[in-house]
Structures are given as C-alpha cells and as structure tokens.
C-alpha cells in the first residue's frame, strides 16, 4: 500500500467548523472542516432526509460533535427548525419523549443509548411518536432488542443506520427494511454519493471478497488533516481509485463483509471507545 498522504494545509479563512474527536484514547484531536466540505455534506443531508422550510429536527448531540452538522447546520441551511436538548436533561427519558411530542419533531438523530432510554420509557407510558418521519442511529451498534422496539415507538418513520467518523463525516447509510439477519449487527449499508471505501486485511492487502479488516474511507466531506499536523501520521493514506489518486482515512474500525456483500461493524483495532 501507498505511504501516508500529506494533507493540504487549510487556510484559516476557509475553515467553517472545528470539531473534536472523543478523546477516548488520549487528548481529543481537533478536526477543521473547510467551507466546501461542509456545503457538500449539508446539501447531501438536506436532500437525503427531505429537510425543508419548517422541518423540525431534534438536536441531541453536544455542539462540538460532528452530528451537529446535520442536526443544526443542515437544518438551518434548508430553512428548518432545531429543537435543542438541554444537556442537563439528556438522560431523562420522560423529558425527551415530551420534547419530541410537544414540538412535533420530524427527524431524530442520536446514539443507541438515547433510543434505549426512549423505548424503555415509552413502553411504560404506552406512548408513540408518530410525527417523526426519519430516525437515524449512529456512533455504535444498536442492540437487537432496541431495534425491535423502534417501529412501535416511531410508527411512521423510516429507520437508518448511518456510519461515519469525525474525520470523514457520514460515509455509509443503511435503511432498515426488516431483512437484516436476526441477532447480528445492523449492516452499515452502502457508501454515500462520492464516497469510496476499501477493506484492508491484516496483511495490508485489500480484500475483494468476504472477510474482516480495517475500513479505509475517503469522502467529499472529510477534513484535510488535524489542526495539529503531527497527529496526521499513519492516519491518512493515498490509494489509486481507477486513474485517480485519493486520500483515505484509516478509520481503525474493523468491519466484516459477508458472502452477500453486507458490511457490518465488528469492533476496533485499538482501544478507542465507540
């Protein structure tokens, strides 16, 4: 495989946002995003989830996390309305249910813990949230028990598993349709438009069939490198895609591709907490 690529230095005037990684393996890394990367992502999100003038979207993630690119900035760009969750109330399931119902929220994106809180509380209340049209879970594998409860809670919603990293933003999407293998992780799905990905085995070779390896991804929405350029080492790599040389992010995520081409997230090749 090719050696590490050297990301271009983003000029300060071209930086729209700076997010942080989780910091679960040490000090959080600062991830600058260019204006172009943000525009391409917010255009995709608005079209994919039909965010229009008046669409009401819940924002559950902290403001320094990349989920806010969709929850807040894509929503506002397309004329929608954002309902902010008070961080002090973020684990109070009753408050979250009431907030979604009171404001007629149409799109919800959050981590699996959020949905586990909601489904447990809603079952006790015999409550449904029928205004929600799109439900996105991301950031970790959703437990099968919780997945089974989501259609009951969000009776009118389409359900999506969205995969991505802070460095690349969203890169894969899978719409749940009931054909997913029982007892297995929900597939991460297909690459978004303009996204390319390869699975690299333990021997450093690209897998072309079934197997498990590290996912390398390049997206139209990704950073050009961490603010501290010394942190870029061994994180980005160049590969040929056809006749074009592209810069891929080494995600550290281990994925498995089965004989039917389904890709599922299996774990990490380090100790990062997902």
């Amino acid at each position: 495989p090719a050696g590490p690529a050297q990301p271009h230095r983003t000029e300060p005037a071209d930086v729209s946002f700076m997010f942080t990684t989780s910091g679960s393996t040490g000090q959080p890394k600062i991830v600058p995003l260019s204006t172009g990367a943000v525009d391409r992502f917010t255009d995709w999100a608005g079209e994919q989830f039909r965010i229009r003038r008046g669409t009401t979207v819940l924002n559950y993630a902290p403001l320094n996390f990349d989920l806010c690119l969709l929850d807040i900035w894509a929503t506002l760009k397309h004329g929608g309305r954002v309902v902010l969750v008070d961080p002090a109330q973020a684990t109070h399931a009753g408050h979250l249910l009431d907030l979604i119902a009171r404001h007629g929220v149409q799109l919800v994106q959050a981590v699996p813990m959020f949905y586990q809180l909601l489904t447990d509380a809603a079952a006790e209340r015999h409550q449904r949230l029928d205004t929600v049209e799109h439900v996105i879970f991301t950031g970790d594998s959703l437990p099968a028990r919780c997945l089974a409860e989501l259609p009951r809670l969000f009776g009118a919603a389409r359900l999506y598993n969205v995969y991505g990293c802070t460095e690349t933003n969203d890169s894969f999407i899978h719409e749940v349709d009931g054909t997913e293998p029982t007892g297995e992780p929900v597939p991460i799905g297909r690459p978004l438009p303009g996204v390319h990905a390869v699975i690299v085995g333990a021997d450093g070779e690209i897998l072309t069939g079934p197997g498990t390896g590290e996912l390398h991804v390049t997206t139209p929405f990704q950073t050009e490198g961490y603010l501290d350029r010394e942190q870029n080492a061994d994180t980005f790599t160049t590969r040929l895609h056809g006749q074009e040389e592209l810069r891929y992010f080494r995600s550290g995520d281990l994925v498995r591709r089965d004989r039917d081409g389904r890709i599922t997230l299996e774990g990490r090749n380090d100790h990062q907490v997902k």
Side-chain angles (χ1 to χ4, degrees), residues 175-249:
E175 183 170 357
V176 176
D177 61 7
T179 64
E180 296 78 17
T182 303
E184 295 187 13
V186 180
I188 63 174
R190 56 179 172 80
L192 274 53
V195 171
H196 303 289
V198 294
I199 301 174
V200 180
D203 59 0
E205 297 297 320
I206 295 176
L207 299 178
T208 57
T212 299
E214 181 185 24
L215 188 66
H216 292 195
V217 181
T218 181
T219 82
F221 329 118
Q222 69 189 28
T223 184
E224 295 176 350
Y226 299 117
L227 188 64
D228 181 355
R229 290 174 63 81
E230 293 182 359
Q231 296 175 322
N232 291 326
D234 300 324
T235 303
F236 298 92
T237 187
T238 53
R239 294 186 181 277
L240 283 176
H241 179 76
Q243 299 299 314
E244 186 179 7
E245 189 176 75
L246 299 178
R247 185 166 60 86
Y248 287 75
F249 173 69

Side-chain angles (χ1 to χ4, degrees), residues 63-80:
L63 298 180
N64 61 327
F65 280 15
D66 56 337
L67 271 62
C68 293
L69 272 182
L70 193 161
D71 299 346
I72 297 178
W73 307 113
T75 302
L76 297 181
K77 178 177 182 176
H78 295 283

Side-chain angles (χ1 to χ4, degrees), residues 64-225:
N64 61 327
F65 280 15
D66 56 337
L67 271 62
C68 293
L69 272 182
L70 193 161
D71 299 346
I72 297 178
W73 307 113
T75 302
L76 297 181
K77 178 177 182 176
H78 295 283
R81 181 172 69 119
V82 181
V83 177
L84 300 171
V85 174
D86 181 351
Q89 300 284 340
T91 58
H92 296 176
H95 170 77
L96 298 174
L97 287 169
D98 293 341
L99 195 67
I100 293 170
R102 184 167 71 252
H103 291 283
V105 169
Q106 294 160 276
L107 188 153
V108 178
Q109 176 183 226
V111 295
M113 181 197 73
F114 168 90
Y115 293 110
Q116 194 66 68
L117 288 171
L118 284 195
T119 54
D120 288 347
E124 294 180 2
R125 292 182 172 195
H126 303 288
Q127 184 174 353
R128 290 165 54 97
L129 298 172
D130 289 330
T131 65
V132 180
E133 300 171 1
H134 300 280
V135 169
I136 306 167
F137 50 92
T138 187
D140 199 356
S141 295
L142 187 74
R145 180 174 71 88
C146 185
L147 177 62
E149 294 296 324
L150 290 183
R152 299 185 183 96
L153 176 58
F154 301 104
R158 299 170 70 172
L159 309 178
Y160 307 88
N161 183 24
V162 171
Y163 167 87
C165 305
T166 304
E167 294 84 351
T168 62
N169 288 295
D170 291 343
S171 50
F172 278 73
I173 186 170
H174 172 75
E175 183 170 357
V176 176
D177 61 7
T179 64
E180 296 78 17
T182 303
E184 295 187 13
V186 180
I188 63 174
R190 56 179 172 80
L192 274 53
V195 171
H196 303 289
V198 294
I199 301 174
V200 180
D203 59 0
E205 297 297 320
I206 295 176
L207 299 178
T208 57
T212 299
E214 181 185 24
L215 188 66
H216 292 195
V217 181
T218 181
T219 82
F221 329 118
Q222 69 189 28
T223 184
E224 295 176 350

Side-chain angles (χ1 to χ4, degrees), residues 28-48:
K29 299 180 180 71
I30 299 176
V31 180
L33 287 182
S34 69
T35 300
V38 172
D39 281 344
R40 288 186 288 273
F41 178 81
T42 51
D43 285 345
W44 168 79
E47 180 66 25
Q48 174 67 43

